[in-house]
Every structure is written in C-alpha cells, then in structure tokens.
Amino acid sequence: AQSVTQPDIHITVSEGASLELRCNYSYGATPYLFWYVQSPGQGLQLLLKYFSGDTLVQGIKGFEAEFKRSQSSFNLRKPSVHWSDAAEYFCAVGGRNNNDMRFGAGTRLTVKP
Amino acid sequence: GAGVSQSPSNKVTEKGKDVELRCDPISGHTALYWYRQRLGQGLEFLIYFQGNSAPDKSGLPSDRFSAERTGESVSTLTIQRTQQEDSAVYLCASSFRAGKQSTDTQYFGPGTRLTVL
C-alpha cells in the first residue's frame, strides 16, 4: 500500500534562510506527488504537484520540489523563507485514482525573525 | 460557490450523541472526499464519491461512520454514538474528474473541528 513519510515533525528556520522539507514515499507504480500547506485557521492549499515530465516542479509562493525516483523522494525547497511561510506542510502521494491519495503526518515550520 | 465550504466550523458534543457534518463542494466538481485529521497527525482518508458511482468507503474506521451525497452536490458525514477518539478536524475536498485518468487537484474546505466530551 502507498505511504508517505515526512521525517521531520517540526523545523525552525530563520527568516531569509533556505528551507528543505523532506518527503519519502512508497508507491507501486508511477506516483503522483503533491505538497499542500495548511496555515493556521485555514484549509489546505496546493503548493505544487508532480505528474510527469520535468522532475523539478515549480509551485506557488516561490516553492519548488524535485522528484527523485531513485530515492523515492519529493523534497520541498524554498531559497529564502518569509515569516508568512510559517505553517504545516503536507506531502501526499496518489495514483490515477485520487481515492488512492495518502498524506504524510506533516511538518510544522516555524520561522524565526 | 467560490470554494469548498463546510459547516459547522466547530462542533462540541457529548459522548454517545450523533453528529452530522456538511460539505458543499465547488460547483461542477464531480468528486468529493472526506478526511479526518487528528491532532498532530496527517490526513486520514475516509470516503470518496465520484459522480453516480458507488462510493469508496474503504477508509471509514467503523460502522458508526457513514456519508451520503446527493448527486454532485452536498455531502453529509454522520458519526453515530460519538466517542472521544472521534475528536478531530474533518476535512472535505472536491475535484473535477474527467474520465478514468485524471490529474485533477483536490480543493479543501476549512474543516469542521469536532470535540467529543
């Protein structure tokens, strides 16, 4: 069965520093991969998704993620973090049927001034 | 509407009572999903509706949980005889599916926070 592991429960970075959130997945076929962000009091918002093609995916708010099949990873990156990026980030994996989608436990990002 | 809406936003109930949670998907979205998010945990898939097909109920944790959807509109998630472990945020999402193969994106509602005392 498919699964997602986000090894870091909580990460703290300084504003302006670079960020990388890790995501490892297990899936028996070609995965569809997603990153969602959940800001306090708000619903989940899609940051970016990978279905096929270029393995480096650009998303909203300056985020990007790279699909590495050999490492079963889909890490999220941002070159310079802003205070407004403080939120919970979820990685998800799915297949052609969206009812197969499974989410990781999330990584909480704290941004220090 | 502009996005997925859910009601109520917060629900406090006593153990043993039944609750109903409502989801209004984005107009035109044929697929609707329910998830549960316990404190500090990821999203747990509960149930999925797609058009007039039989729903995928594989994620429902017990027979106390059920959900209905009228056509391609509103859905209600019902939890009977609530238990304290049912306390969580219940999230609804909708998407537009075009055929069997789909790269559709799920759009999430703000969730209903359920507290069972």
Side-chain angles (χ1 to χ4, degrees):
Chain A
Q2 61 273 29
S3 65
V4 177
T5 301
Q6 293 181 247
D8 305 304
I9 297 173
H10 186 201
I11 283 183
T12 300
V13 299
S14 298
E15 190 168 15
S18 63
L19 170 71
E20 182 170 31
L21 302 183
R22 295 183 291 166
C23 172
N24 293 95
Y25 69 89
S26 172
Y27 195 76
T30 300
Y32 294 164
L33 295 158
F34 308 80
W35 274 100
Y36 283 85
V37 60
Q38 186 177 38
S39 298
Q42 298 185 27
L44 279 92
Q45 180 182 23
L46 181 69
L47 283 177
L48 46 80
K49 58 187 177 184
Y50 169 80
F51 291 139
S52 64
D54 193 346
T55 55
L56 184 62
V57 181
Q58 302 297 321
I60 62 171
K61 304 184 179 185
F63 285 92
E64 66 178 26
E66 187 171 11
F67 170 53
K68 293 185 177 180
R69 186 186 297 275
S70 62
Q71 298 177 17
S72 297
S73 69
F74 189 58
N75 294 349
L76 182 71
R77 301 194 295 249
K78 187 170 184 178
S80 177
V81 170
H82 187 262
W83 65 266
S84 61
D85 294 326
E88 187 96 19
Y89 291 81
F90 293 93
C91 180
V93 64
R96 292 182 175 180
N97 300 311
N98 262 350
N99 50 324
D100 293 340
M101 183 178 286
R102 296 295 181 265
F103 285 78
T107 297
R108 181 171 297 280
L109 174 65
T110 298
V111 180
K112 295 190 301 183
Chain B
V4 178
S5 61
Q6 292 185 246
S7 61
S9 56
N10 279 284
K11 176 72 176 178
V12 180
T13 190
E14 294 178 349
K15 178 181 173 181
K17 296 285 179 72
D18 298 351
V19 295
E20 259 192 17
L21 312 180
R22 177 188 169 107
C23 172
D24 283 90
I26 293 173
S27 178
H29 279 191
T30 58
L32 187 146
Y33 315 77
W34 282 98
Y35 295 89
R36 178 170 67 179
Q37 185 180 22
R38 288 183 163 135
L39 185 65
Q41 299 185 26
L43 276 71
E44 176 186 359
F45 166 77
L46 295 178
I47 188 169
Y48 160 72
F49 296 91
Q50 167 57 22
N52 295 320
S53 302
D56 176 358
K57 304 179 181 180
S58 60
L60 295 179
S62 77
D63 58 8
R64 296 187 295 105
F65 288 72
S66 62
E68 292 183 351
R69 187 183 186 194
T70 306
E72 294 183 351
S73 60
V74 171
S75 175
T76 55
L77 176 70
T78 301
I79 308 174
Q80 295 177 309
R81 305 181 302 282
T82 52
Q83 303 295 313
Q84 287 182 332
E85 63 261 28
D86 298 335
S87 296
V89 175
Y90 289 82
L91 290 163
C92 174
S94 72
S95 66
F96 173 72
R97 288 202 71 180
K100 291 183 180 179
Q101 226 174 343
S102 175
T103 59
D104 52 304
T105 296
Q106 293 185 40
Y107 295 86
F108 283 81
T112 294
R113 181 175 298 279
L114 175 66
T115 303
V116 182
L117 302 177

